[in-house]
Amino acid sequence: MGLDAITAALPGYARDIALNLGSTLGTTALTPAQTWGTALACAVAARNPVVLREVADEALGHLGPEGVEAAKGAAAIMAMNNVYYQAKHLVGDERYASMPARLRMRIIARPGVDKYDFELWCFAVSAIAGCAVCLELHEKKLRASGLTPEQLHDALRISAVVHAAAVTLDAEAALA
């Protein structure tokens, strides 16, 4: 099923989302693993069961079991980090900046996939959460690793479209 199931489930008013879903995942400057890891991590972050299930099914063929676990791990760790670092930033009190997080983040050191692919997935999930601190940090690391602005832009586009599909399907389910 995969993307076809998601696009079939989207209502007429979300035709742009359906078209963008196919184009952002079908034509990208990213590798297939980067593309599908980004999509899966964002599907986890977006929390819609249909989007998550269908993206996960399709992602497995591009990522393998280890890649699927790493993409889910990127979403999980960023669910914690985005809240923590965004809140510290929004408080605006410099005293918090010097305080250590004291939160376990071992998966970042050993994600089970290429560390920059994992970093890319964290970057894309941070866009959904709107965490400026995490976006800036991951963008700098990814650029230093050699990823291009076009590749990062594609990850942001994937993030936006997967999130929009999830929001739309959540709205339709709530109104049904």
Side-chain angles (χ1 to χ4, degrees), residues 3 6-12 14-24 161 165:
L3 293 183
I6 298 169
T7 56
L10 289 167
R15 179 158 167 69
D16 291 330
I17 304 308
L19 293 171
N20 288 329
L21 193 60
S23 67
T24 58
V161 175

Side-chain angles (χ1 to χ4, degrees), residues 33-166:
Q34 290 169 333
T35 298
W36 286 98
T38 298
L40 180 55
C42 290
V44 171
R47 304 180 191 157
N48 176 273
V50 173
V51 171
L52 177 55
R53 186 173 42 254
E54 299 303 332
V55 169
D57 284 348
E58 200 149 333
L60 181 60
H62 299 279
L63 296 171
E66 298 84 11
V68 166
E69 287 301 301
K72 293 187 303 184
I77 199 70
M78 295 318 294
M80 176 182 72
N81 286 356
N82 289 157
V83 169
Y84 175 75
Y85 288 106
Q86 184 175 14
K88 278 179 65 165
H89 173 72
L90 291 173
V91 168
D93 185 331
E94 287 301 315
R95 292 177 290 186
Y96 294 104
S98 64
M99 293 179 184
R102 291 196 323 262
L103 298 169
R104 293 194 183 273
M105 299 178 225
R106 292 184 296 181
I107 193 167
I108 293 172
R110 290 193 182 100
V113 295
D114 179 88
K115 71 179 186 173
Y116 294 112
D117 287 355
F118 187 84
E119 192 87 31
L120 180 70
W121 305 340
C122 292
F123 171 74
V125 168
S126 295
I128 291 174
C131 181
V133 174
C134 293
L135 279 168
E136 289 177 26
L137 173 80
H138 293 293
E139 193 272 346
K140 285 180 183 167
K141 285 183 180 179
L142 290 164
R143 295 279 289 127
S145 79
L147 267 70
T148 66
E150 292 77 19
Q151 290 171 305
L152 299 180
H153 183 253
D154 281 351
L156 293 175
R157 292 174 61 238
I158 293 167
S159 177
V161 175
V162 168
H163 184 257

